[in-house]
Each structure stands twice: as structure tokens, then as C-alpha cells.
Amino acid sequence: MKIEKASIIDAEIIADINIKVWKTTYCNILSNDALIKRENQRQLIIERTENLIKTNTYLIAKVNNIPVGFILYGALREISNLENKKTAEIYAIYILKDYQRMGIGKKLVDSAIKDLISENYENLLIWALRDNPCTKFYEKIGGKILYTREINIFDDNVIENGYFFEDISLF
């Protein structure tokens, strides 16, 4: 397995992985309408990915040179009581279903953490849908649920948990 920094030319690959993972991971969490709407946003996802690559970090995981997952991370986007700390956020981590539970997610997170430490970040937050079957992964790697919020995704109201990592240097 190889992890490499994504570039603008990877935007379509990232969009494809994003849509495929939504279909397999969120199929019992979000309505079919929401999943169809996400798929119909493919071009928008590509454009957003191209813009995010310019300001944040995407890493792509490849197995036998085939892209199977990605992670997107950068500075914390919100949560006012954390603003005084040097806190980073993992915005997205998606692994194709056939490649989950093979250590790829851990390697992506480890690579992101290494990069974040080099940028002097101390803490980390990851938001995940509460009913996501992969949330145990965040607890297994040391995340503690400190926050909960309700969000709306294509007219579906769902709960997200915020997994906080107090000291990423211990990773």
C-alpha cells in the first residue's frame, strides 16, 4: 500500500471514492433520495475537491496502484471553545468497502497526524455520523466523544459525534 499527496488531477478519483463510500456506508443511515442527490453532485464534488486541494491536505491510499481511499484534513473549522488551542480537524476519511478493516484508515490517519505535528498542531477533532458502522475505528485509535450535534444532509436529520484527540504527539 502506498500513501501519497493528492493533486488537482486526483479530484475525479476522490469524487468517485466519495460517492461509492456514501452508497455503501450511509445506505442504512441516509434516505435513498439523499444518496441519489449526493451522486448527482459529482461535478460539484470534483470542483470542491480541486479548491480544497489548494488550501488543505488530501492524501490518497493506493493498493497495487489503484486508489482505494483518501483523507482530507486541515485547520479546525469551528467549535469556539477549542479556538485557543492548536487544533486540527480531519474533515473526511473514506475507504472503499472492499478495503476497509485492512489498516488503510490507520495508515492514512498516521500520515495525516505526522503532517499535522510538523505544522505544530496539538489536538485533533473528527466528526462522524453516529450511526456510521465505522465509528469504532475512531475510538480504537484514541478518540473520545466530546461533542454531539444534529445536522441536515439533503433533508435527512442525523446526529454527528465529535471525536477529540487531546494530544496527537502520543499517536
Side-chain angles (χ1 to χ4, degrees):
M1 189 203 38
K2 183 175 160 184
I3 295 178
E4 56 191 43
K5 196 167 187 167
S7 67
I8 298 286
I9 62 171
D10 296 313
E12 288 188 39
I13 292 167
I14 290 168
D16 289 341
I17 291 171
N18 182 305
I19 291 166
K20 287 176 183 174
V21 172
W22 268 57
K23 286 180 180 180
T24 58
T25 302
Y26 300 152
C27 63
N28 294 319
I29 301 169
L30 298 175
S31 67
N32 194 46
D33 286 346
L35 297 174
I36 291 169
K37 288 177 183 175
R38 184 61 172 184
E39 187 170 6
N40 290 338
Q41 284 190 326
R42 186 177 187 282
Q43 187 57 43
L44 178 62
I45 296 168
I46 291 168
E47 291 167 11
R48 284 183 181 162
T49 299
E50 290 171 345
N51 288 329
L52 286 169
I53 285 174
K54 296 173 188 173
T55 58
N56 296 288
T57 303
Y58 268 102
L59 299 176
I60 293 181
K62 294 181 179 180
V63 173
N64 297 324
N65 233 11
I66 299 168
V68 299
F70 70 86
I71 190 169
L72 169 63
Y73 57 95
L76 183 70
R77 293 178 288 189
E78 53 185 72
I79 306 279
S80 60
N81 61 338
L82 293 176
E83 289 176 4
N84 294 333
K85 296 184 177 181
K86 191 73 168 154
T87 303
E89 183 174 351
I90 290 178
Y91 311 131
I93 179 167
Y94 291 138
I95 313 293
L96 294 174
K97 185 175 182 168
D98 290 344
Y99 294 90
Q100 292 175 3
R101 297 179 180 10
M102 298 173 74
I104 295 168
K106 178 73 165 87
K107 288 183 181 177
L108 281 168
V109 171
D110 287 346
S111 295
I113 294 292
K114 183 178 178 182
D115 187 29
L116 291 167
I117 289 171
S118 76
E119 295 178 26
N120 298 315
Y121 284 100
E122 299 170 359
N123 310 300
L124 176 67
L125 183 66
I126 303 173
W127 287 102
L129 296 183
R130 178 183 63 195
D131 295 330
N132 180 334
C134 300
T135 57
K136 293 291 180 204
F137 168 73
Y138 303 117
E139 293 172 24
K140 184 178 177 182
I141 62 172
K144 307 284 186 236
I145 298 172
L146 290 190
Y147 307 100
T148 301
R149 65 183 180 188
E150 185 174 349
I151 62 169
N152 185 284
I153 301 175
F154 298 115
D155 297 323
D156 288 356
N157 291 322
V158 291
I159 304 296
E160 267 190 325
N161 288 331
Y163 293 85
F164 189 69
F165 299 79
E166 182 68 38
D167 184 356
I168 62 174
S169 70
L170 301 175
F171 237 80

